[in-house]
């Protein structure tokens, strides 16, 4: 009888009521949150209320006392990882994400041409959307660069316009005129810019390759060509130019062109960056102070001056006349 009672109690514990509707006997247990349900309807309700996907968490912590045979099947997790890795190898867009990669011939020629003009041009990996939309190219027969330029108009709800294959010798004022001339551009969002006139407009280049580049700009000269304005600038793919009102110029963090800006330690495709351990070796190289020519004469003069001051202080201390103890008592 005792055996029968134990069997009935275990059967009642196993066939408890549904945790969702509290009516039917349980038939299913969620592999993830272990909620017991009685029907498909209750399963869907528990998934929607608890935001549960019904999949077992393969990497969740579980003590040894709660381990079951299902928890020991880790080869399923390894199979999924192997399948995902194989999928990445088959995906063409995932093959060109390495930065230490040589540039194609036409991009390398474009980069060299920009470098000769004093512009440091860099490219993103092949599957980046900014790289795919870049239509800048170098005509080696005419030795001319045709730039793609993005124009941003902050006072027109950050309207974004594009200029594809803009000649580098063209003046910046003429390039902007296609948007400010009502006869050429009839966009209603640009009516405010078209009404203020040239005297109240200035252009800024979005800074790249400097610290806090997200909020920094270069001031450009409308009377100069695009080639002259990009000289000495760091460009990623193609320039982004902001057209703003002169009254709003103080709202932007403009970089002084006379101050040299340090470029961050960023590696782009086609750029070879020295390993970090080599940099550390150069920085930590000991100096021989006996044969170091970097020590200037001014430093030695400063050291001699400090020594003389120290000697003078000692001399002053010795010249102080301190009376004896007997004399102090009589006073």
């Amino acid at each position: 009888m005792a055996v029968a009672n134990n069997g009935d109690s275990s059967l009642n514990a196993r066939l408890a009521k549904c945790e969702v509707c509290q009516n039917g006997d349980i038939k299913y247990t969620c592999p993830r949150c272990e909620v017991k349900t009685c029907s498909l309807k209750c399963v869907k309700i528990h998934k929607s209320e608890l935001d549960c996907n019904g999949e077992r968490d393969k990497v969740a912590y579980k003590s040894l006392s709660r381990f079951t045979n299902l928890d020991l099947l880790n080869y399923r997790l390894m199979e999924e990882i192997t399948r995902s890795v194989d999928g990445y190898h088959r995906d063409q867009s995932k093959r060109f994400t390495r930065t230490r990669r040589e540039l194609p011939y036409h991009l390398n020629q474009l980069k060299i041409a920009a470098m000769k003009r004093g512009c440091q041009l860099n490219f993103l990996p092949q599957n980046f959307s900014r790289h795919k939309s870049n239509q800048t190219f170098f005509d080696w027969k005419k030795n001319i660069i045709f730039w793609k330029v993005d124009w941003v108009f902050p006072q027109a709800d950050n309207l974004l316009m594009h200029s594809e294959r803009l000649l580098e010798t063209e003046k910046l004022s003429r390039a902007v005129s296609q948007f400010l001339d009502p006869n050429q551009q009839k966009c209603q969002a640009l009516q405010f810019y078209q009404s203020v006139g040239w005297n109240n407009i200035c252009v800024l280049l979005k800074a790249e390759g400097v610290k806090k580049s997200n909020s920094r700009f270069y001031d450009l000269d409308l009377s100069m060509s695009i080639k002259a304005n990009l000289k000495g600038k760091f460009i990623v793919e193609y320039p982004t130019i902001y057209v703003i009102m002169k009254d709003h110029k103080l709202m932007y963090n403009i970089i002084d062109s006379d101050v040299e800006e340090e470029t961050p330690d960023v590696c782009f495709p086609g750029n070879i960056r020295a390993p970090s351990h080599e940099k550390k070796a150069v920085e930590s190289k000991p100096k021989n102070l006996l044969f170091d020519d970097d020590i200037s004469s001014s430093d030695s003069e400063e050291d001699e001056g400090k020594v003389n001051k120290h000697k003078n202080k000692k001399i002053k201390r010795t010249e102080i006349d301190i009376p004896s103890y007997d004399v102090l008592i009589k006073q």
Side-chain angles (χ1 to χ4, degrees):
M1 295 296 292
V3 176
N5 291 333
N6 291 335
D8 294 337
S9 61
S10 62
L11 181 63
N12 293 332
R14 184 166 55 87
L15 298 177
K17 297 299 181 180
C18 175
E19 296 182 8
V20 177
C21 64
Q22 302 295 330
N23 293 326
D25 296 334
I26 61 172
K27 296 181 181 179
Y28 312 106
T29 302
C30 179
R32 188 174 187 86
C33 57
E34 298 181 356
V35 173
K36 297 176 175 56
T37 54
C38 64
S39 61
L40 181 60
K41 181 180 179 181
C42 293
V43 170
K44 293 181 178 179
I45 293 173
H46 117 266
K47 285 184 177 181
S48 62
E49 291 181 352
L50 300 180
D51 195 15
C52 176
N53 57 7
E55 297 179 359
R56 183 174 65 90
D57 190 2
K58 303 178 184 62
V59 295
Y61 172 77
K62 186 174 287 189
S63 60
L64 290 175
S65 60
R66 298 180 56 194
F67 259 56
T68 61
N69 292 333
L70 291 175
D71 298 318
L72 298 176
L73 299 179
N74 288 333
Y75 70 90
R76 293 182 180 177
L77 176 61
M78 300 304 297
E79 285 180 351
E80 292 182 5
I81 295 174
T82 305
R83 191 182 302 111
S84 62
V85 171
D86 182 66
Y88 280 116
H89 282 296
R90 294 174 182 272
D91 192 353
Q92 297 290 337
S93 62
K94 301 296 189 300
R95 295 186 180 182
F96 303 97
T97 56
R98 293 179 297 173
T99 56
R100 295 180 177 272
R101 187 181 182 87
E102 294 183 358
L103 289 172
Y105 178 77
H106 67 285
L107 294 181
N108 191 37
Q109 293 297 317
L110 174 59
K111 185 174 183 177
I112 293 173
M115 189 181 300
K116 291 180 179 179
R117 291 158 173 78
C119 176
Q120 188 176 354
L121 180 61
N122 290 276
F123 299 98
L124 296 171
Q126 185 174 350
N127 59 326
F128 277 55
S129 59
R130 186 175 178 85
H131 180 79
K132 292 179 180 179
S133 63
N134 187 10
Q135 296 185 3
T136 302
F137 81 100
F138 172 62
D139 189 348
W140 60 272
K141 291 183 179 180
K142 299 180 181 179
N143 193 21
I144 294 177
I145 297 178
F146 293 85
W147 289 96
K148 179 193 174 178
V149 180
D150 276 356
W151 305 89
V152 181
F153 298 86
Q155 278 73 45
D157 294 333
N158 288 323
L159 178 66
L160 180 63
M161 306 291 287
H162 307 283
S163 291
E164 298 177 355
R165 300 190 175 183
L166 195 62
L167 191 64
E168 66 174 347
T169 56
E170 187 172 353
K171 285 189 176 181
L172 192 59
S173 58
R174 186 176 179 182
V176 183
S177 64
Q178 59 180 324
F179 304 106
L180 301 182
D181 189 358
N183 298 325
Q184 298 182 17
Q185 187 62 248
K186 297 182 180 181
C187 180
Q188 294 183 356
L190 295 175
Q191 289 181 357
F192 179 67
Y193 282 91
Q194 295 170 358
S195 61
V196 295
W198 284 98
N199 296 329
N200 297 321
I201 287 179
C202 62
V203 290
L204 304 177
L205 174 66
K206 184 72 171 61
E208 298 283 354
V210 296
K211 296 179 180 179
K212 299 180 181 179
S213 59
N214 292 332
S215 59
R216 307 186 75 182
F217 300 87
Y218 290 103
D219 192 6
L220 302 182
D221 191 352
L222 287 169
S223 62
M224 298 174 64
S225 64
I226 298 175
K227 175 181 176 181
N229 277 298
L230 296 182
K231 185 177 180 180
K233 304 299 189 300
F234 187 99
I235 304 297
V236 178
E237 293 292 344
Y238 51 85
T240 301
I241 298 178
Y242 281 66
V243 183
I244 64 171
M245 305 297 167
K246 287 185 178 180
D247 297 337
H248 298 167
K249 190 175 180 180
L250 297 176
M251 299 170 57
Y252 294 86
N253 186 2
I254 299 176
I255 300 174
D256 189 0
S257 59
D258 297 333
V259 180
E260 294 184 0
E261 294 289 336
E262 296 182 357
T263 57
D265 193 12
V266 180
C267 188
F268 293 90
N271 295 349
I272 300 175
R273 181 173 56 183
S276 59
H277 61 85
E278 294 183 3
K279 294 181 180 180
K280 292 180 180 179
V282 173
E283 294 176 357
S284 61
K285 185 178 179 181
K287 291 184 178 181
N288 190 342
L289 299 179
L290 295 177
F291 303 98
D292 193 358
D293 297 335
D294 294 337
I295 300 178
S296 60
S297 59
S298 61
D299 295 337
S300 59
E301 292 177 358
E302 291 179 359
D303 295 338
E304 291 178 359
K306 291 180 180 179
V307 172
N308 293 332
K309 288 181 180 179
H310 188 62
K311 289 181 179 179
N312 293 333
K313 289 182 180 179
K314 289 185 176 180
I315 293 171
K316 289 179 180 179
R317 289 179 182 176
T318 55
E319 291 177 355
I320 297 175
D321 187 11
I322 302 175
S324 61
Y325 180 72
D326 297 335
V327 175
L328 292 174
I329 292 175
K330 292 179 180 179
Q331 292 178 355

